[in-house]
Amino acid sequence: MAEILDFEPLKTNLSAIARDVEGTLDTLLSVPAGGEARVVEAMRYALFAGGKRMRPFLTVAAADLFGVSREASLRAAAAVECVHTYSLVHDDLPAMDDDDLRRGQPTTHKQFDEATAVLAGDALLTFAFEVLSDEATHPDPRVRIGLVSTLARASGHHGMVGGQMIDLRAEAEGLSYGEEQITRLQQMKTGALITAAVEMGAVLGKAGPAAHHALISYARSMGFAFQIADDILDLESSAEALGKATQKDDDAGKATLVNRWGVDKARAHADFLVEQSIDCLAEFGDKARLLKEVALYAVQRKS
Amino acid sequence: MAEILDFEPLKTNLSAIARDVEGTLDTLLSVPAGGEARVVEAMRYALFAGGKRMRPFLTVAAADLFGVSREASLRAAAAVECVHTYSLVHDDLPAMDDDDLRRGQPTTHKQFDEATAVLAGDALLTFAFEVLSDEATHPDPRVRIGLVSTLARASGHHGMVGGQMIDLRAEAEGLSYGEEQITRLQQMKTGALITAAVEMGAVLGKAGPAAHHALISYARSMGFAFQIADDILDLESSAEALGKATQKDDDAGKATLVNRWGVDKARAHADFLVEQSIDCLAEFGDKARLLKEVALYAVQRKS
């Protein structure tokens, strides 16, 4: 890696934006008086269970390049976090990854029940599109529909859901995937939403084609590096340190480059991807400092 | 009931539009070559399992009042059917209503598996918004974002998902609901999406406030009548005739007006609602013939 940064300023920014995204979600999603309160409580339980808020951070940081108002970028970021959270709630279900704990806390179906968790996930996904379609997100309908389109394409069967399907099949059928297949799986399962998070910043900023394309390229490389780093952390960390059942991905023989290549080669590839992603930011100069730092942080973080 | 119609012309229209909606879905949702094919196959299995296609019919019939192109209204109708289908797939899951059969065929989680059914539902919901956000649905971004907003508000925790949550809670906790609570539950659980289906026709047609409001009022009354008629059919029909486990809603003591009032009073109320709904169509004259007939059909059908 070319440089080791002091990540404290970035962490301060990450925390500040995470707090603002959480505040936005808190305001947008109040608990109603009727019997449907339970599903909203489950949505809020899942949303406010912590997390780095990396995806919403990327939306806000990308939108900042174009001077987008924070009100707009925080709403778009909140929608991205709703989609990410719904995917975690459904992935944790007994029929899927069957996880009882996430970040040391009971998963949504353990804290509530399975039916409520299915519905909470459904409602979070739907709510993301409700938030984006609201005039308060951006006065220009072209921008709002662009946000919806970007998020929907990344989340559905071409993207996140499709990637999860491939991953489940590989596990169930004991398939051994090659590099190319693993790369495609990861780009769909986690890469697509990370790319969408960045791209939504470009959509909000009405970026020209060159800037738009540069940000997508940045996000693709960075997102993949982030996933490799996550897989390395999963392999290396103890269950206590991360607050979730680790080694699980490895035990199940999941399709990751780390399992295929070993830690050293995987880490070297992640470092290469980060350098590649940072190169894509050249045209933005110092304005892209946060995006650059978060890419370096993605592979150097310890949790 | 004021009049008993010959429903054959309506049924011909219903079938023709159902066929066109299915054709649109078939074109939009092709099976990809990758490992994600399985989730698309499950989406298609659920979508092409039959059904009256009442909701997409309403979208097309409402849009026809304003001379909207069939290409546009069929795409919007296809999105509505995706949301309806996703809700059936998730409602049938073991953790929810636990149904093995729907229309005489294995439910999606029986035909595939539970994880695939969760993902197929997620992907159908997401795909609805992808289709609506595509420029091919309508050239005007204000119309597209209006469609997204209408569908999202009706489907989430304020609408369909919220209604399902209330229904599950009532059943789990053995709550006895009064008329007002049952009405609210039904308006959320099934009424909201039926209303959205009609409203999306108005959005496509850039209806003025009076016409927009009239169509919403029509849909609210008609949708509730449709639900009461459904509950009566569930109670009266044998399992063979409808091809799904009937009496189940009754056995579980579900919150329906039929259970509370008995069949005669419920039927009379459904008839009243249909007359009310037809009154809302006055300003459209003979152009609204299909919407009028489908309201009458909603309560007079035998399946």
Side-chain angles (χ1 to χ4, degrees):
Chain A
M1 184 64 15
E3 43 190 324
I4 305 294
L5 280 170
D6 169 15
F7 286 123
E8 287 315 313
L10 172 70
K11 284 183 180 174
T12 304
N13 270 291
L14 264 168
S15 304
I17 292 174
R19 205 177 48 234
D20 290 348
V21 169
E22 285 160 16
T24 302
L25 287 165
D26 186 36
T27 305
L28 288 172
L29 194 61
S30 53
V31 180
E36 71 275 25
R38 184 177 171 83
V39 74
V40 180
E41 283 159 7
M43 294 164 79
R44 291 179 58 96
Y45 176 81
L47 279 171
F48 298 126
K52 283 180 289 293
R53 314 296 188 191
M54 181 70 81
R55 291 159 191 78
F57 174 83
L58 290 169
T59 303
V60 172
D64 277 359
L65 293 176
F66 307 96
V68 172
S69 83
R70 272 292 163 96
E71 197 196 337
S73 65
L74 284 171
R75 286 181 64 104
V80 172
E81 191 65 5
C82 285
V83 170
H84 175 58
T85 304
Y86 120 76
S87 78
L88 300 181
V89 172
H90 281 189
D91 282 1
D92 286 337
L93 286 169
M96 307 271 275
D97 294 347
D98 194 15
D99 276 313
D100 292 352
L101 291 175
R102 178 169 288 280
R103 300 185 195 109
Q105 298 297 314
T107 45
T108 306
H109 66 276
K110 296 304 280 185
Q111 181 71 17
F112 292 82
D113 55 72
E114 237 183 286
T116 303
V118 172
L119 292 175
D122 293 345
L124 282 165
L125 173 57
T126 313
F127 189 56
F129 296 109
E130 185 184 333
V131 169
L132 293 180
S133 67
D134 194 297
E135 233 172 308
T137 297
H138 199 283
D140 186 341
R142 281 169 302 181
V143 168
R144 299 204 299 282
I145 203 68
L147 295 171
V148 168
S149 172
T150 303
L151 190 57
R153 279 185 288 107
S155 311
H157 59 281
H158 324 286
M160 190 173 66
V161 171
Q164 176 69 359
M165 185 78 257
I166 298 173
D167 206 7
L168 285 172
R169 273 193 66 210
E171 203 178 331
E173 299 171 18
L175 300 177
S176 179
Y177 278 178
E179 285 166 32
E180 207 175 307
Q181 287 168 302
I182 294 173
T183 302
R184 180 168 185 267
L185 188 169
Q186 301 287 11
Q187 290 287 20
M188 290 170 75
K189 189 178 172 182
T190 57
L193 188 61
I194 290 174
T195 303
V198 174
E199 191 178 354
M200 286 164 75
V203 170
L204 281 167
K206 301 185 180 184
H212 197 116
H213 183 75
L215 282 171
I216 289 176
S217 300
Y218 157 81
R220 286 205 180 127
S221 298
M222 191 277 284
F224 196 24
F226 182 83
Q227 183 58 48
I228 294 172
D230 234 31
D231 292 334
I232 294 174
L233 284 168
D234 262 359
L235 199 75
E236 291 190 334
S237 306
S238 71
E240 283 96 335
L242 277 182
K244 65 171 180 173
T246 50
Q247 284 287 342
K248 199 166 175 176
D249 283 3
D250 182 48
D251 291 342
K254 279 210 171 174
T256 69
L257 284 182
V258 185
N259 282 342
R260 195 171 171 83
W261 283 347
V263 170
D264 289 348
K265 186 173 173 192
R267 201 189 298 280
H269 190 59
D271 287 346
F272 164 76
L273 287 167
V274 166
E275 298 211 26
Q276 204 174 43
S277 78
I278 289 172
D279 287 346
C280 299
L281 299 173
E283 66 173 281
F284 301 108
D286 192 53
K287 277 196 298 180
R289 190 176 43 80
L290 279 181
L291 290 177
K292 179 181 165 183
E293 287 180 11
V294 82
L296 291 165
Y297 177 66
V299 294
Q300 291 175 25
R301 69 203 156 96
K302 301 287 173 243
S303 69
Chain B
M1 184 61 19
E3 42 189 323
I4 306 292
L5 281 171
D6 169 16
F7 286 123
E8 288 314 312
L10 172 70
K11 283 183 179 173
T12 304
N13 270 291
L14 264 168
S15 304
I17 292 174
R19 205 179 46 234
D20 289 348
V21 169
E22 285 159 17
T24 303
L25 286 165
D26 186 36
T27 305
L28 288 171
L29 194 61
S30 53
V31 180
E36 73 276 25
R38 184 176 171 85
V39 74
V40 180
E41 283 160 6
M43 293 164 80
R44 291 178 59 95
Y45 176 80
L47 279 171
F48 298 124
K52 282 179 290 294
R53 315 294 188 191
M54 182 70 81
R55 291 159 191 78
F57 174 83
L58 290 168
T59 303
V60 172
D64 277 359
L65 294 175
F66 308 96
V68 173
S69 83
R70 271 293 164 93
E71 196 196 337
S73 64
L74 284 170
R75 286 180 64 104
V80 171
E81 192 65 5
C82 285
V83 170
H84 175 57
T85 304
Y86 120 75
S87 77
L88 300 181
V89 172
H90 280 189
D91 283 1
D92 286 338
L93 287 169
M96 308 271 273
D97 294 347
D98 195 14
D99 276 312
D100 291 353
L101 291 175
R102 177 169 289 279
R103 301 186 193 107
Q105 298 297 315
T107 45
T108 307
H109 65 275
K110 295 303 281 185
Q111 182 71 16
F112 292 81
D113 56 72
E114 237 183 285
T116 303
V118 172
L119 291 175
D122 293 345
L124 283 166
L125 173 57
T126 313
F127 188 56
F129 296 109
E130 184 184 335
V131 169
L132 293 180
S133 67
D134 193 298
E135 232 171 310
T137 297
H138 199 283
D140 186 341
R142 282 169 303 181
V143 168
R144 299 204 301 281
I145 202 69
L147 295 171
V148 168
S149 171
T150 303
L151 190 57
R153 280 185 287 107
S155 312
H157 60 282
H158 324 287
M160 190 173 67
V161 171
Q164 175 70 357
M165 184 78 255
I166 298 173
D167 207 8
L168 285 172
R169 273 193 65 211
E171 204 179 330
E173 299 172 18
L175 299 177
S176 179
Y177 277 177
E179 285 166 31
E180 208 176 306
Q181 286 169 301
I182 293 173
T183 302
R184 179 168 186 271
L185 188 169
Q186 301 286 14
Q187 290 287 20
M188 291 169 74
K189 188 178 172 182
T190 57
L193 188 60
I194 290 175
T195 304
V198 174
E199 191 177 354
M200 286 165 75
V203 170
L204 281 167
K206 301 186 180 183
H212 197 115
H213 183 73
L215 282 171
I216 289 176
S217 300
Y218 157 81
R220 286 205 180 127
S221 298
M222 191 278 284
F224 196 22
F226 182 84
Q227 183 58 47
I228 294 172
D230 233 32
D231 292 334
I232 294 174
L233 284 168
D234 262 0
L235 198 74
E236 291 189 335
S237 306
S238 72
E240 284 94 335
L242 277 180
K244 66 172 179 172
T246 51
Q247 285 286 344
K248 198 166 177 177
D249 283 3
D250 182 48
D251 291 342
K254 278 210 173 175
T256 72
L257 284 181
V258 186
N259 281 342
R260 193 169 174 85
W261 284 347
V263 169
D264 290 347
K265 189 175 171 189
R267 202 189 297 280
H269 190 60
D271 286 347
F272 164 77
L273 287 166
V274 165
E275 297 212 27
Q276 204 174 44
S277 78
I278 290 172
D279 287 347
C280 299
L281 300 174
E283 67 172 282
F284 301 108
D286 192 54
K287 276 195 300 180
R289 190 177 44 78
L290 279 182
L291 290 176
K292 180 182 165 183
E293 287 180 11
V294 81
L296 291 165
Y297 177 66
V299 294
Q300 292 176 25
R301 68 204 156 97
K302 301 288 174 240
S303 68

